[in-house]
């Protein structure tokens, strides 16, 4: 009888933790969408002239500090306007 109760408890706990993982993943994916949108608006040269390891690293920093995009030297013209418009939302 004790084994049956232990199995029921562990199964219930696993189910609840599974739901928590799904909820946390969905929250993370929403942030990831914003990361992808920012990365898409960067030039994609991965030159490092901004001081970051590349455009992907810069996109992560832009999520933390919106003005970080100003360090990107190749970001000009239409791409710059797109980035400014996207971040001003």
């Amino acid at each position: 009888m004790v084994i049956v109760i232990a199995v029921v408890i562990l199964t219930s706990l696993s189910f609840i933790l599974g739901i928590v993982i799904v909820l946390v993943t969905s929250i993370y994916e929403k942030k990831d969408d914003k990361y992808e949108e920012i990365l898409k608006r960067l030039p994609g040269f991965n030159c490092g002239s901004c001081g970051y390891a590349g455009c992907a690293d810069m996109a992560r920093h832009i999520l933390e500090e919106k003005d970080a995009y100003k360090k990107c030297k190749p970001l000009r013209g239409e791409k710059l306007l797109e980035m400014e418009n996207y971040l001003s939302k």
Side-chain angles (χ1 to χ4, degrees):
M1 185 68 174
V2 174
I3 294 175
V4 172
I5 293 173
V7 168
V8 169
I9 290 173
L10 287 174
T11 303
S12 300
L13 183 62
S14 298
F15 180 73
I16 291 170
L17 288 175
I19 291 173
V20 169
I21 289 171
V22 168
L23 292 174
V24 168
T25 302
S26 68
I27 291 170
Y28 175 75
E29 285 178 357
K30 288 179 184 176
K31 290 182 181 177
D32 194 46
D33 289 343
K34 191 168 185 175
Y35 165 80
E36 290 295 328
E37 288 296 318
I38 290 171
L39 186 58
K40 182 170 65 173
R41 286 168 171 78
L42 289 171
F45 296 151
N46 293 319
C47 61
S49 66
C50 56
Y52 300 114
C55 292
D57 193 30
M58 176 174 246
R60 280 190 289 279
H61 281 86
I62 291 173
L63 287 172
E64 297 169 7
E65 179 188 338
K66 283 188 175 184
D67 288 341
Y69 76 94
K70 294 178 181 177
K71 296 176 184 177
C72 180
K73 293 173 177 54
L75 185 63
R76 297 183 193 139
E78 188 176 319
K79 284 268 197 187
L80 177 62
L81 292 175
E82 284 180 28
M83 181 68 78
E84 289 173 343
N85 289 335
Y86 179 75
L87 293 175
S88 68
K89 293 179 186 178

